[in-house]
Amino acid sequence: MSVELSQAGQVLTATNLSAGYDGRAIVQGVNVEATPGKVVSIVGPNGSGKSTLLKSLVGVVPVLAGTVAIGSRDITNFAPEKVATLGVGYVPQIDDVFPPLTVKENLEIGGFLLPRHDVAGRIEAVLEFFPRLKEMLTRKAGKLSGGERKMLAMGRVLMLAPSVLVLDEPTANLAPMVATQLLEEYIRGFADHGSTVLLVEQRAKAALRISDWTCVLGGGRVVLEGAPKDLERDPVFVESFLGGAARH
Ligand SMILES: Nc1ncnc2c1ncn2[C@@H]1O[C@H](COP(=O)(O)OP(=O)(O)OP(=O)(O)O)[C@@H](O)[C@H]1O
Ligand SMILES: [Mg+2]
């Protein structure tokens, strides 16, 4: 029996979304739509609100105005566990694993919403996908390398076979080759298998390579968006993100 890692995607939509902390909007009037089979990426400078936007989609930061929907279902300000049960897997930028727990325990926690008898089968499916984790099941997550830790963080989210993946800088601190593999093989692969992928990525060039659509966030607003081939020709985008000062 083969256990599917992810499921056919659902549409995740943010409409006129404002979100922030202590009632103060950081993200303002954002419209984003992520659809099955596609990778939508969000790029932008540090502090532009990328993480806040993702957090507000998955119930970690309050939505102050506008709506979040999965398909036709309004999920605005649903609790994070509820969003997870509806098929949205979220990998945060930091605190993505529990360091004192083993790799296996982290995966088990990822499966907390599953019927007990499904957990072992799911762990096996995740280990088939990330075979490297198989060799370190009893190791504490705090003792993994950066790349292994990212795999575990994604593996934890894959325990619930999500239909929508929301990933906040999955390649942060990874060596360029590992980052490229994660993006081009795994993350693009989820979309190619029909899942919906919404990705925040610092490496603008690499993000464009695997994306169907890219939004540029500046000061909490979408300041530019388009298909990668058009953004690559946009002088403002090139100057800001692909020019001499760009991170590759
Ligand atoms: N918990 C918080 N309480 C108050 N303000 C916050 C909180 N978290 C983030 N902010 C502020 O919100 C703004 C946007 O932060 P956010 O983390 O969304 O940016 P980002 O685009 O993800 O940045 P980076 O590229 O550095 O990850 C920043 O000014 C930040 O200081
Ligand atoms: Mg961030």
Side-chain angles (χ1 to χ4, degrees), residues 21 26 45-52 93 169 202:
Y21 311 92
I26 297 281
N46 294 124
S48 58
K50 304 180 299 295
S51 295
T52 304
Q93 184 173 0
E169 297 204 27
Q202 287 270 356

mmCIF file of all heavy atoms in Angstrom, residues 21 26 45-52 93 169 202, ligand 1:
data_model
loop_
_atom_site.group_PDB
_atom_site.id
_atom_site.type_symbol
_atom_site.label_atom_id
_atom_site.label_comp_id
_atom_site.label_asym_id
_atom_site.label_seq_id
_atom_site.Cartn_x
_atom_site.Cartn_y
_atom_site.Cartn_z
ATOM 1 N N TYR A 21 -0.260 42.955 14.719
ATOM 2 C CA TYR A 21 -0.101 42.661 16.137
ATOM 3 C C TYR A 21 -0.716 43.787 16.968
ATOM 4 O O TYR A 21 -0.613 44.951 16.593
ATOM 5 C CB TYR A 21 1.386 42.512 16.456
ATOM 6 C CG TYR A 21 2.088 41.584 15.489
ATOM 7 C CD1 TYR A 21 2.703 42.063 14.333
ATOM 8 C CD2 TYR A 21 2.089 40.202 15.699
ATOM 9 C CE1 TYR A 21 3.335 41.210 13.440
ATOM 10 C CE2 TYR A 21 2.711 39.339 14.809
ATOM 11 C CZ TYR A 21 3.329 39.848 13.682
ATOM 12 O OH TYR A 21 3.934 39.001 12.795
ATOM 13 N N ILE A 26 0.074 45.330 10.016
ATOM 14 C CA ILE A 26 1.406 45.286 9.393
ATOM 15 C C ILE A 26 1.209 44.990 7.902
ATOM 16 O O ILE A 26 1.803 45.610 7.040
ATOM 17 C CB ILE A 26 2.262 44.169 10.035
ATOM 18 C CG1 ILE A 26 2.511 44.441 11.517
ATOM 19 C CG2 ILE A 26 3.550 43.961 9.254
ATOM 20 C CD1 ILE A 26 3.590 45.437 11.821
ATOM 21 N N PRO A 45 11.717 42.605 0.972
ATOM 22 C CA PRO A 45 12.809 42.840 1.921
ATOM 23 C C PRO A 45 12.464 42.401 3.344
ATOM 24 O O PRO A 45 11.298 42.159 3.655
ATOM 25 C CB PRO A 45 13.031 44.354 1.851
ATOM 26 C CG PRO A 45 11.896 44.932 1.095
ATOM 27 C CD PRO A 45 11.179 43.830 0.389
ATOM 28 N N ASN A 46 13.464 42.345 4.188
ATOM 29 C CA ASN A 46 13.266 42.012 5.598
ATOM 30 C C ASN A 46 12.287 43.005 6.200
ATOM 31 O O ASN A 46 12.360 44.202 5.936
ATOM 32 C CB ASN A 46 14.588 42.101 6.374
ATOM 33 C CG ASN A 46 15.598 41.056 5.924
ATOM 34 O OD1 ASN A 46 16.707 41.385 5.536
ATOM 35 N ND2 ASN A 46 15.216 39.807 5.950
ATOM 36 N N GLY A 47 11.351 42.474 6.988
ATOM 37 C CA GLY A 47 10.405 43.344 7.685
ATOM 38 C C GLY A 47 9.243 43.815 6.831
ATOM 39 O O GLY A 47 8.444 44.635 7.266
ATOM 40 N N SER A 48 9.120 43.288 5.611
ATOM 41 C CA SER A 48 8.046 43.766 4.724
ATOM 42 C C SER A 48 6.702 43.100 5.024
ATOM 43 O O SER A 48 5.689 43.467 4.429
ATOM 44 C CB SER A 48 8.437 43.547 3.259
ATOM 45 O OG SER A 48 8.700 42.188 3.009
ATOM 46 N N GLY A 49 6.703 42.125 5.919
ATOM 47 C CA GLY A 49 5.437 41.527 6.338
ATOM 48 C C GLY A 49 5.152 40.144 5.765
ATOM 49 O O GLY A 49 4.041 39.632 5.899
ATOM 50 N N LYS A 50 6.163 39.516 5.179
ATOM 51 C CA LYS A 50 5.964 38.207 4.549
ATOM 52 C C LYS A 50 5.510 37.161 5.561
ATOM 53 O O LYS A 50 4.534 36.440 5.338
ATOM 54 C CB LYS A 50 7.257 37.746 3.849
ATOM 55 C CG LYS A 50 7.802 38.727 2.830
ATOM 56 C CD LYS A 50 9.073 38.238 2.172
ATOM 57 C CE LYS A 50 10.244 37.999 3.104
ATOM 58 N NZ LYS A 50 10.761 39.227 3.758
ATOM 59 N N SER A 51 6.238 37.084 6.676
ATOM 60 C CA SER A 51 5.878 36.078 7.683
ATOM 61 C C SER A 51 4.533 36.403 8.314
ATOM 62 O O SER A 51 3.723 35.509 8.576
ATOM 63 C CB SER A 51 6.951 36.003 8.772
ATOM 64 O OG SER A 51 8.157 35.531 8.224
ATOM 65 N N THR A 52 4.295 37.685 8.549
ATOM 66 C CA THR A 52 3.019 38.098 9.147
ATOM 67 C C THR A 52 1.860 37.683 8.238
ATOM 68 O O THR A 52 0.825 37.191 8.710
ATOM 69 C CB THR A 52 3.013 39.623 9.365
ATOM 70 O OG1 THR A 52 4.149 39.965 10.178
ATOM 71 C CG2 THR A 52 1.742 40.088 10.049
ATOM 72 N N GLN A 93 8.945 30.055 9.755
ATOM 73 C CA GLN A 93 10.330 30.453 9.467
ATOM 74 C C GLN A 93 11.271 30.005 10.579
ATOM 75 O O GLN A 93 12.362 29.522 10.316
ATOM 76 C CB GLN A 93 10.371 31.984 9.314
ATOM 77 C CG GLN A 93 11.725 32.533 8.924
ATOM 78 C CD GLN A 93 11.664 34.029 8.621
ATOM 79 O OE1 GLN A 93 10.608 34.650 8.710
ATOM 80 N NE2 GLN A 93 12.791 34.605 8.264
ATOM 81 N N GLU A 169 10.191 30.614 4.120
ATOM 82 C CA GLU A 169 11.641 30.547 3.926
ATOM 83 C C GLU A 169 12.235 29.176 4.222
ATOM 84 O O GLU A 169 13.097 29.030 5.090
ATOM 85 C CB GLU A 169 12.345 31.613 4.768
ATOM 86 C CG GLU A 169 11.940 33.008 4.334
ATOM 87 C CD GLU A 169 12.967 34.067 4.686
ATOM 88 O OE1 GLU A 169 14.147 33.730 4.789
ATOM 89 O OE2 GLU A 169 12.564 35.221 4.835
ATOM 90 N N GLN A 202 13.525 34.105 0.247
ATOM 91 C CA GLN A 202 14.471 35.221 0.161
ATOM 92 C C GLN A 202 15.265 35.196 -1.143
ATOM 93 O O GLN A 202 15.661 36.228 -1.653
ATOM 94 C CB GLN A 202 15.476 35.144 1.321
ATOM 95 C CG GLN A 202 14.900 35.504 2.660
ATOM 96 C CD GLN A 202 15.014 36.987 2.963
ATOM 97 O OE1 GLN A 202 15.592 37.745 2.199
ATOM 98 N NE2 GLN A 202 14.428 37.393 4.079
HETATM 99 N N1 LIG B 1 5.120 39.480 17.321
HETATM 100 C C1 LIG B 1 5.272 40.709 16.800
HETATM 101 N N2 LIG B 1 4.790 41.796 17.475
HETATM 102 C C2 LIG B 1 4.935 43.043 16.953
HETATM 103 N N3 LIG B 1 5.511 43.295 15.754
HETATM 104 C C3 LIG B 1 5.994 42.275 15.052
HETATM 105 C C4 LIG B 1 5.902 40.920 15.535
HETATM 106 N N4 LIG B 1 6.462 40.097 14.616
HETATM 107 C C5 LIG B 1 6.886 40.894 13.617
HETATM 108 N N5 LIG B 1 6.603 42.188 13.867
HETATM 109 C C6 LIG B 1 6.898 43.335 12.998
HETATM 110 O O1 LIG B 1 6.147 43.224 11.800
HETATM 111 C C7 LIG B 1 6.920 43.664 10.688
HETATM 112 C C8 LIG B 1 6.923 42.561 9.625
HETATM 113 O O2 LIG B 1 7.591 41.441 10.156
HETATM 114 P P1 LIG B 1 7.626 40.055 9.381
HETATM 115 O O3 LIG B 1 8.281 39.072 10.284
HETATM 116 O O4 LIG B 1 6.278 39.749 8.871
HETATM 117 O O5 LIG B 1 8.590 40.443 8.157
HETATM 118 P P2 LIG B 1 9.274 39.491 7.056
HETATM 119 O O6 LIG B 1 8.984 40.126 5.739
HETATM 120 O O7 LIG B 1 8.882 38.091 7.260
HETATM 121 O O8 LIG B 1 10.824 39.706 7.399
HETATM 122 P P3 LIG B 1 12.072 38.676 7.238
HETATM 123 O O9 LIG B 1 12.457 38.704 5.788
HETATM 124 O O10 LIG B 1 13.130 39.311 8.106
HETATM 125 O O11 LIG B 1 11.645 37.323 7.717
HETATM 126 C C9 LIG B 1 8.298 44.030 11.210
HETATM 127 O O12 LIG B 1 8.359 45.410 11.360
HETATM 128 C C10 LIG B 1 8.356 43.330 12.559
HETATM 129 O O13 LIG B 1 9.164 44.039 13.438
#
